[in-house]
Amino acid sequence: MSKFYITTPIYYINDQPHIGHAYSTIAADVAARFHRQHGDEVLFSAGVDENAQKTVQAAEKVGENLTKYTDQMSQSWEQTWKELGISYDRFVRTTAADHKKAVYAFFKAVKPDDIYKGTYEGWYCVGCEEFKKEDDLVDGKCPIHQTKPDRLKEKNYFFRLSNYQQTLLDHIKANPGFIWPESRRNEVVAFIERGLEDFSISRSTQKWGIPYPDDGKQVVYVWFDALINYLTATGYPKVGFDQWWPADVQIVGKDIIKFHCIYWPAMLISAGLKLPEKVVAHGFFTVDGTKISKSLGNAIDPSELASQYGVDALRYYLLREIPFGADGDFGHNRFNQVYNSDLANELGNLVQRTAVMITKYLDGVTGEVEAHSHDASNYNQAVGQFRFDKALEAVWEMVKGLNQYVEEEKPWELAKGDTEHLKEVLIHLVADLLQIATLLLPFLPDTSQKIIATFGGGKVNPEVGILFPKVEIDVTPVE
Ligand code: MSP
């Protein structure tokens, strides 16, 4: 048994969660559940990034005071994760006292020489909460947000990132598993090789944020404080925090690798702390071919989708359809199609059919059946390598194989005479389904539980009902 600490990004609360956010969190949840299932002691952290300038803007827009606004939004994010069955152990709020304590302790730990006072002159994009170089802008605008960044000139504290260029490169080279996938590792290496500049870690024109240590006139730059949340979740600086730290896996979207693979490791080295074992960056997906954007109104609420199709359907689609690490698309039609074929027809029907046959031919009674333990090394390897699509594919091979088995064995024919073999066939089905339920546990926890509830007790439990009721939508043909 070993420890496993996995993190998700902490999200900005200027808006409600959409399925893009749910993606990182669901992926981390699968890994957390997988490790728990295998007997590891798991810490799974999530949270909200509250000290951003955009929090202030969003609160102003709705005319709410900041404390009330942040409380409400943070609750709403937690509620969404609850609805999606996210099994986090810690939810960090960056306005909370324990986080501030961690930030101050971290400042004390950083090498004093790594921080100096200077003048920042340049651009700041509130959308990105990031200082921008002239080169980053297109026609004077942030290419991501299509807005003109603010011109700033202020006396700030700086972190000497330039000190860490070589150390970071050496670390990445010596630890090929540190950044996954390889394309992102190459991107990070190229970025470092272009030369690292020191970055400002305070803002003198803002009031919202964690007061800068020993300088009440400034607040800590939001990314500097946000990254430290990963330590807060371990109890840092309390004795024993290193029972969890360093993190085993940090899940992030590809948009924030610079912060997680460059700033964050440099900050940790400066503070004399270990580096995370692995940063795993997934891709971005569009909705029906279009970038998810508030202004287009295509930001799908994951709870809404889950209430229509069930949480497991959303989890299945996101992880099966989009190879982790690559970009992809969430298509409404495609989602409906996959739901009806893979979940309702292939898995749901199989479970239903098996239950009905046992009821009909064996009076519902199988006697205690032990789950099969067919070789699952492909599946295990795939989960270990974040190839979630491949892991699910391996389970579906079993599901398809089992459907074929039913077609070949034709229990309804056997029922006419060969009752001995009929029983064997039905028990074989149950033993396989119980193994499938075990393999599905990290991915589709509800479904897994339902399969076990249906067959696990030696007789069929008809109360569980249909796993995936067909959902009809107006489907426009997909080419
Ligand atoms: N607050 C920072 C993270 C700080 S972590 C110390 C932040 N927050 S965010 O609310 O903008 O969330 C960004 C994350 O949401 C991305 O890194 C990614 O994990 C996820 N996604 C947002 N949109 C997404 C898609 N369209 N597709 C996939 N993931 C997406 O950045």
Side-chain angles (χ1 to χ4, degrees):
M1 191 169 100
S2 49
K3 72 96 183 167
F4 182 74
Y5 175 28
I6 184 160
T7 71
T8 69
I10 52 169
Y11 302 99
Y12 293 128
I13 51 164
N14 58 316
D15 209 349
Q16 301 291 344
H18 61 60
I19 51 169
H21 307 120
Y23 187 53
S24 317
T25 305
I26 289 172
D29 186 62
V30 169
R33 286 178 189 264
F34 180 82
H35 280 267
R36 284 193 202 108
Q37 188 185 20
H38 287 81
D40 287 343
E41 235 183 289
V42 172
L43 174 64
F44 170 20
S45 81
V48 280
D49 190 354
E50 301 182 71
N51 298 317
Q53 199 43 34
K54 47 177 136 192
T55 308
V56 181
Q57 293 179 347
E60 270 168 10
K61 208 167 152 192
V62 292
E64 203 84 80
N65 89 44
L66 271 161
T67 314
K68 204 165 154 208
Y69 179 81
T70 50
D71 283 352
Q72 273 170 357
M73 288 302 280
S74 155
Q75 234 173 45
S76 158
W77 279 77
E78 275 209 81
Q79 182 60 28
T80 302
W81 296 157
K82 220 175 267 165
E83 281 162 18
L84 297 188
I86 305 298
S87 64
Y88 57 76
D89 304 295
R90 269 295 326 256
F91 188 85
V92 177
R93 289 190 59 177
T94 57
T95 48
D98 62 342
H99 178 66
K100 283 187 195 151
K101 224 185 200 162
V103 170
Y104 288 137
F106 189 84
F107 265 102
K108 284 221 171 84
V110 164
K111 260 204 241 136
D113 192 39
D114 279 342
I115 291 180
Y116 63 94
K117 210 166 182 180
T119 303
Y120 177 78
E121 177 158 18
W123 302 103
Y124 189 81
C125 171
V126 176
C128 299
E129 296 289 1
E130 188 181 359
F131 303 94
K132 296 279 179 188
K133 287 201 233 170
E134 204 76 44
D135 291 359
D136 298 332
L137 308 178
V138 178
D139 295 332
K141 288 182 180 168
C142 162
I144 300 167
H145 293 92
Q146 301 297 331
T147 48
K148 191 171 177 296
D150 301 328
R151 185 76 192 169
L152 301 180
K153 185 173 180 189
E154 28 175 290
K155 278 222 172 327
N156 286 163
Y157 293 92
F158 281 77
F159 178 75
R160 236 182 261 283
L161 185 65
S162 55
N163 262 355
Y164 292 93
Q165 189 156 324
Q166 199 50 48
T167 320
L168 287 176
L169 283 175
D170 291 347
H171 183 80
I172 295 169
K173 207 180 225 169
N175 299 277
F178 179 51
I179 302 167
W180 185 93
E182 202 183 329
S183 55
R184 301 290 163 222
R185 181 169 74 231
N186 296 340
E187 208 176 300
V188 169
V189 168
F191 190 93
I192 302 175
E193 281 174 344
R194 281 201 295 274
L196 293 181
E197 285 175 20
D198 299 345
F199 69 99
S200 160
I201 55 167
S202 69
R203 302 295 312 276
S204 69
T205 47
Q206 286 173 15
K207 304 232 156 357
W208 178 247
I210 298 182
Y212 197 87
D214 305 322
D215 185 343
K217 291 203 192 76
Q218 309 231 9
V219 294
V220 177
Y221 169 44
V222 62
W223 265 103
F224 197 84
D225 108 58
L227 288 162
I228 296 170
N229 96 83
Y230 301 129
L231 291 171
T232 309
T234 66
Y236 179 84
K238 273 194 229 128
V239 177
F241 82 93
D242 51 357
Q243 168 204 347
W244 294 110
W245 191 258
D248 296 84
V249 175
Q250 302 214 256
I251 302 264
V252 298
K254 66 174 185 182
D255 56 326
I256 52 176
I257 53 173
K258 182 178 83 188
F259 296 102
H260 286 84
C261 302
I262 299 176
Y263 288 23
W264 178 226
M267 288 163 61
L268 287 166
I269 300 170
S270 178
L273 293 167
K274 289 192 180 135
L275 302 194
E277 290 295 328
K278 202 177 198 67
V279 180
V280 167
H282 63 73
F284 257 47
F285 58 85
T286 46
V287 168
D288 292 321
T290 313
K291 190 181 158 205
I292 302 180
S293 116
K294 202 177 167 187
S295 52
L296 290 175
N298 66 345
I300 303 170
D301 174 356
S303 327
E304 223 174 277
L305 207 60
S307 67
Q308 194 185 357
Y309 285 89
V311 174
D312 284 1
L314 176 63
R315 295 169 72 103
Y316 179 81
Y317 180 86
L318 292 177
L319 296 175
R320 175 79 197 265
E321 189 72 3
I322 306 166
F324 207 62
D327 291 336
D329 183 55
F330 180 92
H332 275 96
N333 290 349
R334 179 80 191 131
F335 178 52
N336 183 267
Q337 215 174 50
V338 169
Y339 174 85
N340 284 328
S341 66
D342 298 17
L343 296 175
N345 283 346
E346 289 175 353
L347 179 62
N349 268 355
L350 174 65
V351 168
Q352 173 76 2
R353 245 175 137 185
T354 307
V356 167
M357 289 190 291
I358 293 171
T359 309
K360 194 162 160 194
Y361 304 135
L362 303 180
D363 278 334
V365 183
T366 53
E368 228 28 83
V369 177
E370 212 178 304
H372 275 151
S373 45
H374 298 303
D375 175 39
S377 48
N378 278 349
Y379 163 94
N380 284 318
Q381 210 174 22
V383 180
Q385 296 172 342
F386 305 97
R387 305 272 179 206
F388 298 128
D389 58 328
K390 296 279 173 235
L392 285 169
E393 205 178 295
V395 180
W396 252 256
E397 302 256 301
M398 293 172 84
V399 171
K400 283 184 188 151
L402 221 48
N403 274 313
Q404 208 176 336
Y405 176 75
V406 176
E407 289 311 312
E408 281 164 11
E409 292 288 350
K410 299 190 178 44
W412 48 94
E413 298 282 337
L414 298 175
K416 292 177 191 157
D418 195 350
T419 47
E420 191 74 10
H421 187 49
L422 170 67
K423 189 164 184 194
E424 273 168 24
V425 169
L426 295 177
I427 286 180
H428 176 93
L429 281 169
V430 169
D432 264 15
L433 280 170
L434 289 174
Q435 180 177 17
I436 287 170
T438 311
L439 300 178
L440 284 182
L441 186 133
F443 289 90
L444 313 180
D446 274 1
T447 306
S448 161
Q449 219 182 10
K450 283 181 181 164
I451 297 175
I452 292 167
T454 305
F455 302 112
K459 59 184 194 332
V460 164
N461 175 359
E463 272 151 39
V464 182
I466 292 178
L467 291 187
F468 302 101
K470 281 258 165 83
V471 179
E472 302 295 345
I473 58 163
D474 240 352
V475 179
T476 32
V478 180
E479 298 90 62

